[in-house]
Amino acid sequence: MKHAALLGTGSCLPRRILTNSDLEKMVETSDDWIVSRTGIRTRRIAGKGEDNFRLAGRAAKKALNMAGLSAADVDLILVATITPHMMMPSCACFVQAEIGAENAFAYDLNAACSGFLYGLDLADKYIASQPDMNVLLIGSETLSARINWQDRNTCILFGDGAGAVVLSGSDTRGVQASCLYSDGRLWNLLYMDSPESLNPEIKQKDRRGCYMQMSGPDVFKFAVRSMEQAIRNLLRKENLSIDDLALVIPHQANIRILNKLVERLVIPEEKIFINVERYGNTSAASIPIALDEVNRKNRLQRGDKLLFCSFGGGFTWGAVLMQW
Ligand code: UT7
């Protein structure tokens, strides 16, 4: 059976950098507080010409370029996002038009910060049944449009960006196993209400506020417990231990969540990739942005085992194992 293996990766971050000292001028907070509680120092904020689908399209072009494919070779575009340009059509259809992938079918999926992992699992299943498919999977967010910039509990945490991967069938490389979970009973600990349009051309003047709402300490505890459990379940299922992994790429939510994971699972420091200090939490985009960085730094060798884990609104969480 064929597995979904990486042919190329790409990412695109908005130009504008928002620092902790910029935030000190906007809400009652401090660089010290933000760094010690979250590990975040800067995040990127989308501006003019950096709509979700445009960031996604640029990341996609870089991934296709690395894969040596053209947009016409793409059979399926999946975009994981909670901040689509519009409710309908999907962000994936906007990306299709943006890059000229005329032979693809395209749709979005929403699993919040776990969206990229749900997408990897889905792409793997498409490829298992149709081995010749080329799948373009993107995690892309413009969360800054859905943040209440007066709420210091949330505005310090999130950032914008996009990461993309091109996947195609391989007998040996690619997705090996996944453990995905959700618990809709806990929705009100982390949510965003029905959105107004993000399309500046039709944006309503009246912003009634469909902003990110979060019970931080509850999310924190659940995130640590659930990601630990997902990783343990996946390793048990595959008869592997942490020693067998070359690298763990977690959803980049908060350095303290990641430190707790490292402590509980005894992951050596050099085996976990962290860039949350530069980009903050970019939800569905965080893992593919990190993956592109890892790939472009040539940190992995053929045959290495790579583990992704995530946690997000829903709640949704999970872990995916990939062979490089
Ligand atoms: O993908 C998943 C998305 N969500 C997350 O990853 C978030 C998970 N949660 C967290 O990362 C943490 O809960 C936060 C970083 C959000 C908050 O850290 P905490 O240690 O849980 O702080 P807290 O909410 O318990 O608040 C402690 C104090 C409070 O003041 P009092 O009541 O003790 O006087 C807050 O009002 O810190 C205050 N506070 C702040 N102070 C300065 C909250 N936000 C800020 C802030 N600057 N930005």
Side-chain angles (χ1 to χ4, degrees):
M1 194 176 70
K2 299 275 188 200
H3 303 277
L6 283 177
L7 283 186
T9 61
S11 58
C12 180
L13 280 310
R15 284 179 296 272
R16 181 175 163 215
I17 298 174
L18 188 74
T19 64
N20 291 347
S21 65
D22 294 330
L23 282 163
E24 284 174 355
K25 294 173 199 122
M26 297 159 67
V27 287
E28 203 184 321
T29 192
S30 66
D31 178 50
D32 272 359
W33 195 96
I34 301 173
V35 172
S36 64
R37 302 285 176 124
T38 72
I40 301 166
R41 292 178 187 278
T42 58
R43 66 288 289 145
R44 299 297 181 94
I45 304 294
K48 204 164 183 296
E50 293 178 325
D51 313 79
N52 186 337
F53 74 92
R54 293 209 164 89
L55 297 176
R58 283 170 209 148
K61 282 181 188 166
K62 290 183 194 170
L64 283 168
N65 190 34
M66 187 188 285
L69 295 180
S70 75
D73 298 319
V74 176
D75 300 296
L76 165 62
I77 303 172
L78 286 172
V79 176
T81 187
I82 51 171
T83 50
H85 190 61
M86 298 175 77
M87 288 303 288
M88 186 271 290
S90 66
C91 194
C93 283
F94 277 105
V95 172
Q96 177 184 28
E98 181 78 357
I99 66 173
E102 69 241 20
N103 299 316
F105 66 103
Y107 63 93
D108 289 357
L109 65 96
N110 175 341
C113 304
S114 304
F116 184 77
L117 294 199
Y118 276 47
L120 263 185
D121 183 63
L122 192 55
D124 191 50
K125 290 178 166 90
Y126 269 110
I127 285 169
S129 67
Q130 296 173 64
D132 297 333
M133 271 185 110
N134 292 318
V135 180
L136 174 60
L137 170 63
I138 305 169
S140 184
E141 304 285 8
T142 45
L143 290 159
S144 60
R146 299 260 180 262
I147 298 297
N148 176 356
W149 290 98
Q150 268 102 55
D151 176 13
R152 67 177 184 171
N153 289 299
T154 51
C155 74
I156 56 154
L157 291 173
F158 298 96
D160 301 334
V165 296
V166 178
L167 300 156
S168 74
S170 164
D171 292 317
T172 50
R173 299 168 54 236
V175 173
Q176 305 293 302
S178 27
C179 285
L180 303 178
Y181 307 91
S182 55
D183 188 342
R185 291 170 301 181
L186 303 171
W187 70 270
N188 61 348
L189 297 175
L190 180 57
Y191 67 92
M192 223 154 53
D193 202 356
S194 316
E196 61 174 330
S197 177
L198 290 189
N199 183 338
E201 285 157 35
I202 57 171
K203 202 166 187 161
Q204 294 161 1
K205 286 196 189 99
D206 172 22
R207 290 182 66 98
R208 262 166 300 191
C210 310
Y211 301 123
M212 183 82 76
Q213 307 286 336
M214 182 180 70
S215 168
D218 292 320
V219 173
F220 189 100
K221 278 181 243 151
F222 204 92
V224 174
R225 274 204 307 269
S226 54
M227 281 197 282
E228 179 192 358
Q229 210 48 53
I231 294 172
R232 287 193 191 284
N233 290 348
L234 185 63
L235 291 177
R236 196 176 311 116
K237 186 167 126 181
E238 293 301 294
N239 207 14
L240 296 171
S241 75
I242 293 286
D243 291 345
D244 298 308
L245 303 176
L247 193 66
V248 175
I249 301 185
H251 166 50
Q252 310 285 320
N254 176 316
I255 195 71
R256 280 162 57 231
I257 292 179
L258 301 182
N259 287 343
K260 287 255 179 232
L261 260 193
V262 162
E263 190 186 303
R264 288 181 181 211
L265 290 161
V266 196
I267 304 173
E269 215 176 283
E270 68 279 5
K271 282 198 180 184
I272 184 157
F273 184 81
I274 298 175
N275 65 6
V276 71
E277 70 279 5
R278 279 175 283 141
Y279 304 130
N281 181 344
T282 57
S283 191
S286 91
I287 291 178
I289 290 170
L291 177 60
D292 186 43
E293 206 172 317
V294 163
N295 192 16
R296 284 174 197 271
K297 285 182 177 156
N298 292 316
R299 279 195 58 174
L300 291 163
Q301 317 268 314
R302 188 59 61 92
D304 278 351
K305 288 184 168 48
L306 171 63
L307 186 139
F308 304 104
C309 62
S310 70
F311 176 84
F315 287 154
T316 58
W317 68 99
V320 173
L321 181 73
M322 184 177 254
Q323 177 113 345
W324 199 250

